[in-house]
């Protein structure tokens, strides 16, 4: 039987993850003023790639399972894993998720934020705000004695009154020296289910919310995931670690650019 064990990391790994997470967050901060109507997602990829290389790190997505670019850029009804393209130009009112993962000294820092090109419609702004809050509610559910299911249960309870749906086909994940490791972190789950939280665990919380149904499909390129009903989708992602005294977010914005407007 294959073992599905969640790695427990030591203090030196926390230092490494703090460094990787902070670099990923700095990439996001750096991109903020560039996300404007008229910019291409290919240009954002190039800016992020060059910034990461200049900081002695590696963009983890590049060539990962054949992914062709250094970041993911997911516009409007694209749920995740959108491929940057010089021909894809942002229009005023678009919302975009940019997902950055760096490898610094062998450790992964994985984070994503929403950005607004110009002034999006109110329903897009509300979706963005609720998605950020859903991620933070999920992170706050990580407590000693709890279980991974508590994260998804807390997110579900928070999102329900807003009538958005939670994407089920993509999850958060353990990470460290490995990009996608055990466990799967569900954003839609039952309380007290799943593995118990233990100090030394590193993983992401990265909920995706849709205005319409939760159903997604992957396009012919093998990567781009879109909402089946073409409704808007939003996502935020942090990399976190469980310390002896509680959860630590590694990917907090050093510039305070937590959610738009920036
Ligand atoms: N960063 C994404 C995540 O949150 C994964 C991107 S994999 C890629 O897990 F190949 F699409 F880049
Ligand atoms: Co991730
Ligand atoms: Co990511």
């Amino acid at each position: 039987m294959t073992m599905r064990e969640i790695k427990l990391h030591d203090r030196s790994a926390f230092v490494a993850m703090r460094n990787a997470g902070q670099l990923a967050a700095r990439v996001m901060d750096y991109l903020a003023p560039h996300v404007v109507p008229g910019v291409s997602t290919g240009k954002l990829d190039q800016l992020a790639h060059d910034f990461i290389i200049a900081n002695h790190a590696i963009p983890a997505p590049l060539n990962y399972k054949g992914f062709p670019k250094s970041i993911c850029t997911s516009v409007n009804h694209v749920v995740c894993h959108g491929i940057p393209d010089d021909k894809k130009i942002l229009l005023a009112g678009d919302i975009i998720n940019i997902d950055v993962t760096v490898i610094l000294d062998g450790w992964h820092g994985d984070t994503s934020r929403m950005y607004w090109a110009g002034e999006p419609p109110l329903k897009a702004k509300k979706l963005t705000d609720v998605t950020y809050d859903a991620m933070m509610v999920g992170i706050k559910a990580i407590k000693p004695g709890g279980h991974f299911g508590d994260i998804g249960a807390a997110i579900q309870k928070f999102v329900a009154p807003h009538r958005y749906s939670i994407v089920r086909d993509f999850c958060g994940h353990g990470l460290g020296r490995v990009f996608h490791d055990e466990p799967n972190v569900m954003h839609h789950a039952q309380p007290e289910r799943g593995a118990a939280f233990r100090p030394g665990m590193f993983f992401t919380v990265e909920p995706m919310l849709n205005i319409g149904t939760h159903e997604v499909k992957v396009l012919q390129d093998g990567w781009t995931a879109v909402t089946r009903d073409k409704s808007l989708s939003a996502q935020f992602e942090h990399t976190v670690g469980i310390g002896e005294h509680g959860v630590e977010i590694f990917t907090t914005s050093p510039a305070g650019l937590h959610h738009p407007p920036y």
Side-chain angles (χ1 to χ4, degrees):
M1 194 189 120
T2 324
M3 295 300 282
R4 298 201 162 272
E5 287 186 359
I6 304 170
K7 293 185 182 77
L8 300 179
H9 299 274
D10 63 14
R11 290 177 70 89
S12 67
F14 273 81
V15 175
M17 287 298 279
R18 237 165 251 149
N19 291 335
Q22 283 299 288
L23 177 58
R26 281 172 54 215
V27 178
M28 308 253 80
D29 291 351
Y30 168 71
L31 290 175
H34 296 281
V35 183
V36 290
V39 76
S40 71
T41 55
K43 176 72 180 176
L44 297 172
D45 176 73
Q46 182 212 313
L47 288 166
H49 177 95
D50 292 349
F51 187 96
I52 292 165
I53 297 299
N55 284 279
H56 318 288
I58 297 165
L62 188 60
N63 301 320
Y64 176 78
K65 297 183 178 176
F67 192 81
K69 296 286 182 175
S70 296
I71 60 173
C72 298
T73 50
S74 302
V75 180
N76 295 335
H77 72 295
V78 179
V79 175
C80 64
H81 301 167
I83 302 172
D85 181 346
D86 293 338
K87 296 187 296 294
K88 174 66 184 175
I89 308 290
L90 295 186
L91 302 176
D94 283 348
I95 61 170
I96 176 175
N97 174 276
I98 302 180
D99 192 328
V100 169
T101 309
V102 303
I103 311 172
L104 183 64
D105 299 329
W107 294 86
H108 289 75
D110 186 4
T111 185
S112 82
R113 294 181 206 159
M114 297 303 295
Y115 297 78
W116 295 343
E119 181 88 12
L122 187 59
K123 64 170 193 171
K125 295 206 253 184
K126 281 186 174 162
L127 174 68
T128 302
D129 292 350
V130 172
T131 306
Y132 177 79
D133 291 343
M135 172 184 67
M136 296 309 290
V137 161
I139 292 170
K140 287 194 182 83
I142 304 163
K143 292 180 186 145
H147 297 77
F148 275 89
D150 301 350
I151 297 172
I155 291 173
Q156 244 181 289
K157 191 175 171 190
F158 171 74
V159 168
H162 296 283
R163 311 274 166 159
Y164 298 135
S165 59
I166 302 169
V167 172
R168 303 166 189 205
D169 292 11
F170 299 97
C171 299
H173 49 94
L175 78 174
R177 288 191 179 277
V178 175
F179 191 174
H180 292 110
D181 206 348
E182 293 299 323
N184 270 332
V185 180
M186 260 101 74
H187 304 111
H188 185 281
Q190 302 290 321
E192 294 169 45
R193 300 279 182 89
F197 297 129
R198 299 272 179 248
M201 290 178 172
F202 298 157
F203 55 92
T204 70
V205 177
E206 50 178 304
M208 285 147 264
L209 303 189
N210 301 342
I211 287 183
T213 77
H214 70 84
E215 288 182 288
V216 307
K217 69 175 179 191
V218 175
L219 300 185
Q220 289 292 337
D221 60 25
W223 283 104
T224 310
V226 301
T227 54
R228 275 197 180 270
D229 60 9
K230 301 210 167 58
S231 69
L232 288 178
S233 186
Q235 179 182 25
F236 282 84
E237 176 176 21
H238 272 317
T239 296
V240 306
I242 304 180
E244 293 293 341
H245 303 288
V247 66
E248 173 175 351
I249 302 175
F250 295 129
T251 46
T252 300
S253 165
L257 306 182
H258 306 302
H259 54 75
Y262 301 119

